Each structure stands twice: as C-alpha cells, then as structure tokens.
Amino acid sequence: MERKRLKILFFFVVIYCCAIPPSLYMTSVYRATIPFQDIIDRLRTRELERQEVHVRIVGVGEFNVLSGMHLLHYLHMLSDISCANAKSDNQAVCVQFDVIANVPQGVDTEQWDRALRRAEDVIGVGAEREIGSGEEARRDDDLGRVLADIMPSHNGAYTIVWAHSKHANTGNEFAVGTVGQYRHGWLVSQGNLDEEKAKEVAVHIDRLTSVITGAKHMRTTGEMVESTLPLATAYRVSYMLWNEACALEWDFPEIFEGYLAGLFDRLSDIADYSHESQVLHYVPMLQEPVRTSDGRAGYREEDLPFVYPTTLLSNDFTGFRTTINLVGYVPADRSLHVLRDEDRVARTDSFLMPQIGGLTFMPAPASAAGGGCRRAPSQAEKAHLGVSFLQQIRLLHNLDDFGENQKVLTSGIRSLRVIRLAVSDVSLWERDWLIRSRTVEYRARALDNIRALVFMLAEFQNIVIPDSIRDDVMGALRFLDEVSEAVQEGRLDDAVRHAKWALRAAEEANFDEKMLSQLYFPTEHRIAVFVPLLLPALFPVVGKLFSEFRHVRAKRA
C-alpha cells in the first residue's frame, strides 16, 4: 500500500516538474533572430544621399573668355545657393555648374573648334532665323550628334549650349531656352554682352537647368511635389472602352504598340507594369450633360469627379501594386466636352481622375445614330485614344507637357521662354528625373517600413517572427546598401532597381500574412490560463509530499 502511494505521488511530481516546463516552452512564440539594436542604430544614422547633377556650359557665337569668367562666377554663386537651399529644404538634387572654356581632355583642338562651329550653325542665332520657328526638333537631333563626339552625357551629366548674338531674333524675350528628347538644351540670348548680361544669362541657365533636372521637385524625404500617382513598385494599367450604346470594339494591341509600347519600355526600370483591356457596352454617365449656348454638350470641370461610374473601375491599391484606369468613353448620339465654364469648351476632352487614372471623351460614332455597331474604331479614333492615354500616363507620372509646348518663366529680371519639344514617349532627361526621384521615394518608403516593423517587433516580444520576415528585412537592408553604393558610383539605373527591390522586400515583411494571421498572447495571459487549472491540484500534491517526508523521517527515528 505504501509503495502504491509513493508511485502515485511521484507520478504527480513528474507531471509538474518534467511535463509542464516543456509544454510552456513549446507554447512560446517562435522568433527568428534579428539584430534589432544594430538595425535601429543603422536606421538612425542612415541619411539619404544628395545626388549631385553636373551641368556643363558651352559657349558659342559672341562668347569670349571674359564673359565666360563672369558667367562662371555667377553660376558658382547660384550653385552654392542651390546646394545650401537643397540641404536646408531636404531637396534631393544639388546642381553643380561648370563653364567649359578650354578643350576637354581627350578631344583635340581641331575637333573641338569644328564641333563648336557646327553647334553654332545648328542652333542658328542669326537674325534671319527666328527662334522657335518649328525647326527645333531637327536641331535637337543634330546638336545631339555634335555633342556626342566631344562631350558625351549620361544621367547626372548634362550640357547646355549658350549661343549669344547682338542680332539674335528671340522675340520679346531676352533669351529663349530649348530642351528636347536628349540630355542637352540650348539657350539663345540677344543684345550687348557685359557683366550684367552675364549675370542675367546665369539666372536663365539656372532656370533652364531646373526644368531639365527637376531639382526643385524632389526631396530627400521621398515626397513628390503634387504627386498624382500613388507610389508603388508595380502598376496594373487597365485600359477600358465604355460605350454609352453598342458602338465600338477596339483592337487594343495595335493602339498599345503604336503609341504606348515605347513609353513603358523606357519606364520599365522605374516600376513593373502589367496591362489589361476590356470593352463595356451600355454604360451611362451618372449625370446628364449641360448644354452651352451654341448647343454643345459637356460637363463642367467641378462636376467631373461625379459623372463617371467608379464601380466599373479596377481597384488594386495594395502596398505592392496600384491600378491605373485609362478609359475611353463613346457617347451614343452627341459628342461630349469638358467645359471650363457654362459656355467655354476646354482645349482637350480628356481629364485626369486623381489617384485613379484618366478618362477621354470620344467623338460620337457616325453609325451610332442608326443603331448599328462597328467592329473596330477608325485609325483617327485609335490615334485619338493612343495620344490621350499617352498624355495621361505622362501627367500621372508628373511629366509636364507644358500645354502648348512653351512656357514663360519670369523673375525679377526679364523673362525666359522655354520651348519644350514634343517627344513620342519620354525624353532621356525626363527618364533621368524619374529615376532619381523614384530612387529617393522608394528608399525613403523602404526605410519607413523597416523602421516601423523593427520598432514594433523589438517592443512586443510575444509577436511571432518567421524566418521569411527575417530574410525580407535583411534583404531590404542589403538592397539599401546597394542603393547607396550605386548612387555614389553614378549607376543610377542600378540604384532605382535596388531601391525598388528594397521597398518590395520591406513591404512584404511588413504585410506578411504569416505574421498578421497569428494570435499574439502576452505571457501574463498564458499564466492566467494555466494557473486556474494547475494550482488547485498543486496544493494536495505538495501537501502529500510533505506528509510523506514526515512519515519517512518518523520511520527512521
């Protein structure tokens, strides 16, 4: 009997001493090893690099060494002010100017002189040739070939050719600047050239540079100025043709290849794009259009956000992918317009849907009045859709089309007219600007994601940390190191790719369902569950144990 009592007692002792601790250990959360303090210290000391952009000034025409010295002096002053303001305002680009007065290294004198004469002839500063006469596109191509031999450019290195002549025909402005599809521009100025005029030219060159580099639109905080497109590493572009009646089908691949393929090819390093298309019939607008005094139908600008059915738009606003909706709307029996006011029709029948995409009113098809349906739109209608979609994609990416391709920049001194040459998709300097800006944005967002995740995981010790979370966090940090190295070495194409991968890894870690789907119970909750079950049984077991000890001692005595 006594032996049986001892067996029962030791059974409970084994349960409490050997089974309960392993069970508590097995019910504890798994946390992959992450060096929290090391990461926190790195994030606190990590600063976004300020990217230096070098702009080389080449003078032709009535350019001399003295005017070049004056120009260099004022440009250096502007550069110092620009970089100081960039540091105080968190701007991501610091512009450095350099006036090329001597023959560059690696270029012989004869080749240099011949190139300068050719550049002067290409730009054409004589009074007989009006600046802005429509020949700039050809000049842009010719000047690009001239500069490629003596001063090749790349992302972060640009060239501005300054041509001055007393008799240059610049109209009412003192200077006219032109930028095209390459990494250069040119400035034509008129009048007598003295120190004051050199100062004025320096200010105009600084303005032209701000157009090319986008220096005043990027900040190291990763915020874009007046951004119209949500930041994402991938975009799904949904092209839709809405028919108010049964009017049009479309051959979308032809429209894409003819107008949009080149654009997305140049944007492929900046983000990942996928494409889909659909046609919907019998889609009415939510409001009846208003009529102008001359009988045209349309919608006022303030009413545009409320006229289209948002339920038909695609939505995919996740941290990884955002949907861009580009809609062509075909009215049934009358053309629709965008109205500036009650009686004034806007220049275009397209408008942007902020953070969503854009919509284009198509002319009413001639066959719609008879109730018939056409299989495909005409070439003119395809071109209308293709050009509208192209412009909307540009505007959603903050690429200014300058309206009429000209823009007058004014200041305390005389104005500068900037001619922005039309391009078929995205110019090289626009692509450079997007690469620099997206590098800053992606990196800033990745740092924010890693910082928020690491602080949360370090603060709450009961949260599960799977190995995949650790791998994503450490991978994002490695990509950020690659970004810093690529920026320092001037490999900006590599920098934006690594910044994109860093943001994607950071967001995958932040929104990993393996972590979000867990139920996290603090230690005190687990104790509150086990104690009511085990404590009542503990008292009789401990009491019986002491009783057995007393019995053994009494028996020995």
Side-chain angles (χ1 to χ4, degrees):
M1 187 66 181
E2 183 177 351
R3 183 181 298 274
K4 183 177 180 181
R5 190 172 62 248
L6 288 175
K7 287 182 178 179
I8 295 174
L9 177 63
F10 280 109
F11 171 77
F12 280 102
V13 170
V14 170
I15 290 295
Y16 275 94
C17 296
C18 300
I20 293 179
S23 66
L24 292 175
Y25 174 78
M26 293 173 65
T27 56
S28 63
V29 296
Y30 175 75
R31 293 172 62 85
T33 303
I34 297 179
F36 292 113
Q37 193 57 48
D38 179 54
I39 294 176
I40 292 173
D41 293 340
R42 291 175 63 186
L43 293 178
R44 284 173 177 167
T45 58
R46 184 186 296 269
E47 294 183 357
L48 297 175
E49 290 86 358
R50 185 162 289 105
Q51 303 171 28
E52 284 196 359
V53 173
H54 296 271
V55 179
R56 301 160 298 191
I57 314 300
V58 179
V60 299
E62 298 174 12
F63 175 85
N64 54 60
V65 176
L66 182 60
S67 60
M69 293 176 60
H70 290 317
L71 180 65
L72 182 61
H73 171 70
Y74 289 117
L75 285 176
H76 280 176
M77 291 177 57
L78 290 173
S79 179
D80 293 341
I81 295 173
S82 170
C83 292
N85 291 338
K87 184 175 182 180
S88 61
D89 296 340
N90 288 327
Q91 290 182 6
V93 172
C94 172
V95 179
Q96 298 285 354
F97 294 100
D98 187 18
V99 177
I100 308 299
N102 300 316
V103 180
Q105 186 177 3
V107 179
D108 60 70
T109 304
E110 182 179 352
Q111 181 187 10
W112 175 254
D113 292 339
R114 185 169 59 252
L116 294 185
R117 289 193 300 269
R118 176 60 180 154
E120 181 179 358
D121 182 63
V122 166
I123 295 173
V125 296
E128 74 282 355
R129 179 179 293 178
E130 181 184 357
I131 305 301
S133 60
E135 299 181 1
E136 282 79 4
R138 178 186 58 79
R139 297 175 189 172
D140 190 37
D141 293 336
D142 293 343
L143 189 59
R145 286 189 286 268
V146 172
L147 295 176
D149 295 333
I150 61 171
M151 199 170 294
S153 58
H154 55 82
N155 192 341
Y158 303 89
T159 303
I160 293 179
V161 179
W162 170 36
H164 182 85
S165 173
K166 295 179 181 179
H167 308 293
N169 187 356
T170 59
N172 296 326
E173 288 82 24
F174 163 69
V176 174
T178 305
V179 292
Q181 61 178 330
Y182 305 106
R183 294 185 176 101
H184 63 255
W186 63 93
L187 181 76
V188 178
S189 58
Q190 64 172 336
N192 295 320
L193 188 59
D194 52 23
E195 184 175 354
E196 284 301 314
K197 289 292 175 59
K199 179 179 179 180
E200 197 168 346
V201 168
V203 174
H204 289 326
I205 288 177
D206 182 57
R207 292 181 190 165
L208 191 61
T209 300
S210 70
V211 174
I212 296 176
T213 62
K216 301 185 184 303
H217 298 280
M218 290 196 310
R219 303 192 181 278
T220 57
T221 55
E223 298 177 358
M224 286 293 300
V225 177
E226 298 180 357
S227 179
T228 57
L229 192 64
L231 181 66
T233 59
Y235 295 97
R236 181 179 65 176
V237 188
S238 179
Y239 306 89
M240 288 174 280
L241 187 65
W242 291 351
N243 289 287
E244 187 175 11
C246 180
L248 295 181
E249 298 289 344
W250 67 353
D251 182 11
F252 174 71
E254 181 180 344
I255 297 176
F256 182 83
E257 290 298 328
Y259 298 93
L260 302 172
L263 169 72
F264 288 107
D265 182 60
R266 290 201 172 185
L267 297 179
S268 59
D269 286 334
I270 298 167
D272 298 331
Y273 296 89
S274 59
H275 307 273
E276 64 181 22
S277 69
Q278 62 177 326
V279 179
L280 298 177
H281 299 293
Y282 304 107
V283 179
M285 284 292 170
L286 301 183
Q287 297 182 15
E288 286 296 320
V290 299
R291 294 280 181 174
T292 63
S293 58
D294 58 0
R296 288 183 287 185
Y299 297 98
R300 292 183 293 265
E301 287 185 331
E302 59 269 22
D303 296 330
L304 292 176
F306 313 105
V307 302
Y308 51 86
T310 56
T311 55
L312 298 180
L313 300 174
S314 300
N315 293 311
D316 193 8
F317 295 101
T318 67
F320 315 107
R321 186 171 66 174
T322 294
T323 299
I324 303 173
N325 294 275
L326 298 179
V327 181
Y329 187 78
V330 184
D333 54 2
R334 77 284 189 221
S335 295
L336 296 176
H337 306 279
V338 177
L339 305 180
R340 294 289 187 188
D341 50 41
E342 294 293 342
D343 278 323
R344 192 158 57 99
V345 175
R347 182 173 58 90
T348 176
D349 292 332
S350 299
F351 63 93
L352 290 183
M353 301 180 285
Q355 304 288 310
I356 299 175
L359 189 146
T360 300
F361 290 126
M362 296 288 292
S367 61
C373 293
R374 293 195 301 188
R375 291 297 302 167
S378 65
Q379 289 300 123
E381 289 168 329
K382 292 179 183 179
H384 184 78
L385 277 175
V387 172
S388 297
F389 289 165
L390 174 65
Q391 291 300 321
Q392 288 170 349
I393 288 291
R394 285 179 51 83
L395 291 172
L396 288 169
H397 284 80
N398 296 90
L399 299 177
D400 188 4
D401 64 354
F402 279 12
E404 297 288 343
N405 288 338
Q406 294 193 22
K407 193 172 188 178
V408 177
L409 308 177
T410 59
S411 68
I413 56 178
R414 283 184 286 179
S415 61
L416 166 70
R417 178 159 54 104
V418 175
I419 300 173
R420 161 71 168 79
L421 301 184
V423 294
S424 58
D425 39 63
V426 176
S427 64
L428 289 178
W429 59 268
E430 287 174 329
R431 180 180 178 274
D432 293 348
W433 176 79
L434 280 174
I435 285 177
R436 290 195 297 270
S437 62
R438 281 302 177 102
T439 300
V440 173
E441 291 178 293
Y442 286 153
R443 182 175 177 181
R445 183 72 65 85
L447 287 171
D448 290 341
N449 275 276
I450 295 174
R451 187 179 293 110
L453 178 63
V454 167
F455 273 99
M456 180 185 68
L457 295 178
E459 180 71 19
F460 299 100
Q461 295 294 319
N462 58 302
I463 295 181
V464 175
I465 305 179
D467 291 337
S468 59
I469 300 293
R470 177 198 59 202
D471 295 340
D472 286 337
V473 170
M474 302 309 294
L477 290 172
R478 285 194 298 271
F479 284 135
L480 289 175
D481 291 337
E482 292 288 342
V483 172
S484 301
E485 183 179 341
V487 169
Q488 291 174 0
E489 297 176 358
R491 298 181 288 108
L492 298 184
D493 285 11
D494 292 337
V496 73
R497 281 193 292 269
H498 286 107
K500 178 175 64 176
W501 297 336
L503 175 57
R504 188 167 298 172
E507 289 187 333
E508 286 177 353
N510 226 349
F511 300 101
D512 195 310
E513 61 182 14
K514 298 185 186 68
M515 185 175 65
L516 296 177
S517 63
Q518 302 295 323
L519 296 177
Y520 304 123
F521 297 107
T523 303
E524 55 269 22
H525 286 194
R526 293 163 54 212
I527 293 175
V529 171
F530 282 107
V531 166
L533 297 176
L534 301 178
L535 192 59
L538 184 63
F539 286 110
V541 171
V542 172
K544 187 62 178 175
L545 183 63
F546 279 112
S547 176
E548 289 296 327
F549 282 143
R550 288 196 299 269
H551 177 72
V552 171
R553 291 178 61 185
K555 189 174 182 180
R556 289 179 178 178

